Amino acid sequence: MNNAVNWSFPTTGGGKKTGFNESGIQFFNDNTLLSLAREICQNSLDAKKDTNDDPVTVVFKSFRLKKEDIMGREKFADIINKEIEYAKKYYKNDKAPINFYSEAQKLLESDELLCLRVSDFNTSGLTGSDREIDSKWDRLVKSEGFSDNPTTSGGSFGIGKNAAFACSKLHTVFYSTLDETGLIASQGVSKLSSCELDDGNITQGTGYYGVINNTENGIRLDSMNQQLFIDPSHDERSESGTDIYILGFDDRNKSNEIPDDDNEGWVIDVAASIIDNYFVSILDKKLVVKINDMELTDKTISERFNYIYSNNFDMFNQYTIDYFNILASDKYETKHETFSMFEPDDVSFDIAFSPNFKNRVGIIKGTGMKIFDKDKLPQISFYCGVLKLVGKEVNAYFRQMENPKHDEWYPSKMADEKVARKEYNKLFDFVRATIRKYVESSIPESMDAEGVGEFLPDEFDDGSNNEPTENIVDDILEEIEVKEKPVAKNDNINKEDKNQDNDFSGGQAYADGEEEENYGQGDSNQSDGGKGTPGSTNTEKVIIDVPTGKPILTTKSRCMYTNGKYEFMFVSPVDLQNAKITVEIAGELANYKPEIIEASGERRLFSGSNVKFNGNIIEVGKVNKNESKKIQFALKETENWALEVKVYEN
């Protein structure tokens, strides 16, 4: 039989066609580099060798590929041309397919093509390339929707593999592996949409570069029994592992470049994503990552993190700096506790207390990847914690609750949801008990408020000119009594509506995966925030848009309660043209939206000033960078509540 090595795009045979938007690639298009970093490191950590304790090493290396060195370029360029012609016939309104394939055509005609190699070491490689069933190679390269990794693994070769294709302007990736048994395999995969061939047949969309075997039973598309060296700087492998080559690498994140820094923007972006998600893996010496000339190890991560954070803190989750510091610095006195769920001490918990903390606990699974930030915890002090699932069984159990992006837990995914919720609550009951334990033992009656003198409020005045002078300074310490106050069931409090489209948390409030609608249901709030008024004398309803997007990571923020009113103080690290504040009463299982009945700015009770309010939203207006801002407000509910107050740029 006559065999050849080239691209082949199987036809539908009259069956299902694939549209441009059907691919799982779209799932990762919102932040391609973040998704790539998460998924690649996840899969590499899952494939770690059991024979030694050395860390897994993952290498991200960009390189230029000459046009004449693109494997199967002529055949692939012909397919791209056919995609353009087919898109013109099939898509009348959606211009995205035509634009994508036209750009791909230009890339193939250019002299060089930017590519990215991602390689891992101290891993088992993609085992089983000589079989089509029960094979890691087959699940990654040839299959869709199969996820049969052991439950102890952190992820699977399911939808996550599409992250690499989302980073390619050609939607094309080449795989090459040497597995731990000595098997070698390589193959190219291109995830395009259906198009019409010269003979009138329609392709399925996905094509393969490899050995085209003409057998008695038809054509077979097989892998090549050789290593690929698409990156000229990559030597032949002598140890097991996998190389992934992304053709037409999309390094679009140029905005993250740091002035006077030699690293490209995408390098900084990938480094930030890895630190954000895998700082525990790196600190625990489970993972080493090299991104061009940048290296992240347990010895270098602190310096790299602080450098990137100081230049662009917006690249990180707002809680990462606190998690990192309680684990990697001596800045805070960190307490360590363990808990036994399925095995002895299979859960560990590190917690520290400081007025700078925002009452979040980072949930880390066994591979060292952070899953989500747990909120809805006791509001009896200022703390930060890191919870690690250490044991195999506890990791296997909670892995079943994960969503495809590995950033939430859903007990409803389990066969026995009732039991799953019991185990879920058992885990976080331990967290709550630990928080209370250290609050009661360390600060049973009072908390040292060192360093917050500048934020302690004066008495609320009535708007007259007899404004008292602040006498409290940082070297005079005020003792503040700390008491936990449970959220009362007040009919006047608007609970979160499970059908509400707007998420005031900017994607954080429900990131723990708890199905909050099962706990706090109530009447739906209108999008304008409720029926607040612009002052006690004006009954005309003020329309204030609900803020969208992520909240601003403010500094030196405090919310103090005095004589039935609150004073919220904050400093914004950037200029805000039209800042808005949302106020929510914090509960352990759900937040509540109170009704604001008074609001004032800069110690003047609101009366025709630039501060407006409606429902639980206050419109502050312009806020200057690094300027201390004070907003006073009163709620219809007159108790001293534990509040979550967030600042947004509208």
Side-chain angles (χ1 to χ4, degrees), residues 458-459 461-470 602-604:
D458 300 325
E459 293 296 319
D461 62 65
D462 59 1
S464 66
N465 293 326
N466 299 323
E467 186 169 317
T469 302
E470 283 191 344
E602 305 304 326
R603 305 195 57 77
R604 295 186 299 274

Side-chain angles (χ1 to χ4, degrees), residues 461-516:
D461 62 65
D462 59 1
S464 66
N465 293 326
N466 299 323
E467 186 169 317
T469 302
E470 283 191 344
N471 294 319
I472 300 177
V473 295
D474 283 345
D475 55 357
I476 300 177
L477 305 182
E478 180 75 10
E479 287 195 343
I480 304 173
E481 186 176 7
V482 178
K483 294 182 179 179
E484 181 180 10
K485 191 170 188 67
V487 176
K489 295 181 179 179
N490 190 328
D491 292 337
N492 293 325
I493 299 176
N494 295 320
K495 296 183 180 180
E496 286 281 10
D497 176 21
K498 70 176 181 178
N499 295 317
Q500 181 133 342
D501 293 332
N502 299 294
D503 182 359
F504 282 10
S505 67
Q508 295 296 327
Y510 300 110
D512 58 352
E514 243 181 279
E515 296 178 311
E516 306 295 349

Side-chain angles (χ1 to χ4, degrees), residues 621-632:
K622 185 176 181 180
V623 176
N624 295 325
K625 176 181 179 180
N626 296 329
E627 175 188 21
S628 180
K629 194 77 174 177
K630 296 182 181 181
I631 300 295
Q632 299 170 328

Side-chain angles (χ1 to χ4, degrees), residues 142-349:
K142 289 289 190 71
S143 302
E144 292 289 346
F146 286 92
S147 177
D148 193 35
N149 272 9
T151 55
T152 52
S153 298
S156 62
F157 293 127
I159 193 171
K161 62 187 176 184
N162 289 302
F165 292 89
C167 289
S168 167
K169 293 181 179 180
L170 300 173
H171 286 180
T172 300
V173 171
F174 279 80
Y175 301 97
S176 178
T177 191
L178 167 62
D179 76 15
E180 59 187 354
T181 68
L183 286 175
I184 297 174
S186 60
Q187 194 154 24
V189 181
S190 186
K191 295 192 174 185
L192 308 179
S193 48
S194 294
C195 67
E196 187 176 7
L197 300 177
D198 293 336
D199 58 8
N201 284 315
I202 306 297
T203 65
Q204 295 177 16
T206 299
Y208 301 91
Y209 182 90
V211 180
I212 304 173
N213 283 316
N214 294 293
T215 70
E216 295 178 354
N217 297 320
I219 294 177
R220 282 183 53 87
L221 307 177
D222 293 326
S223 61
M224 299 171 285
N225 297 323
Q226 65 184 61
Q227 294 185 43
L228 295 182
F229 305 102
I230 300 176
D231 176 9
S233 68
H234 186 40
D235 296 328
E236 183 176 0
R237 276 186 173 273
S238 58
E239 61 175 286
S240 60
T242 301
D243 303 308
I244 298 176
Y245 297 92
I246 300 174
L247 267 60
F249 174 51
D250 188 352
D251 63 339
R252 72 182 79 178
N253 293 38
K254 292 292 186 181
S255 60
N256 290 330
E257 291 181 347
I258 296 175
D260 302 322
D261 190 283
D262 293 335
N263 292 297
E264 297 179 66
W266 75 266
V267 173
I268 300 295
D269 204 66
V270 170
S273 176
I274 289 171
I275 294 172
D276 226 16
N277 292 281
Y278 292 98
F279 62 92
V280 172
S281 297
I282 296 173
L283 290 172
D284 288 349
K285 301 180 181 180
K286 293 181 178 180
L287 178 67
V288 170
V289 180
K290 300 177 182 179
I291 316 161
N292 277 4
D293 296 328
M294 182 185 292
E295 187 172 52
L296 299 175
T297 70
D298 63 300
K299 293 181 175 60
T300 65
I301 186 173
S302 293
E303 179 185 355
R304 291 297 184 183
F305 183 19
N306 291 330
Y307 172 71
I308 300 173
Y309 187 87
S310 63
N311 283 278
N312 192 347
F313 63 84
D314 283 334
M315 296 179 66
F316 297 93
N317 176 288
Q318 61 178 312
Y319 310 115
T320 300
I321 187 69
D322 295 337
Y323 300 148
F324 190 87
N325 282 334
I326 70 172
L327 294 179
S329 76
D330 55 5
K331 186 176 181 180
Y332 304 104
E333 182 183 355
T334 302
K335 310 293 185 180
H336 180 77
E337 292 282 337
T338 60
F339 181 60
S340 301
M341 285 202 70
F342 303 107
E343 301 169 277
D345 299 330
D346 57 354
V347 176
S348 74
F349 185 33

Side-chain angles (χ1 to χ4, degrees), residues 397 401 410-426 515 518-519:
Y397 188 83
M401 297 185 190
Y410 290 103
S412 57
K413 287 170 60 66
M414 303 288 280
D416 192 332
E417 182 179 350
K418 185 176 180 180
V419 172
R421 288 200 174 279
K422 183 179 178 180
E423 297 298 331
Y424 181 96
N425 291 332
K426 180 180 175 182
E515 296 178 311
N518 292 335
Y519 301 111

Side-chain angles (χ1 to χ4, degrees), residues 132-143:
E132 294 186 9
I133 299 176
D134 189 26
S135 160
K136 285 187 177 181
W137 170 266
D138 181 73
R139 283 197 292 271
L140 178 64
V141 179
K142 289 289 190 71
S143 302

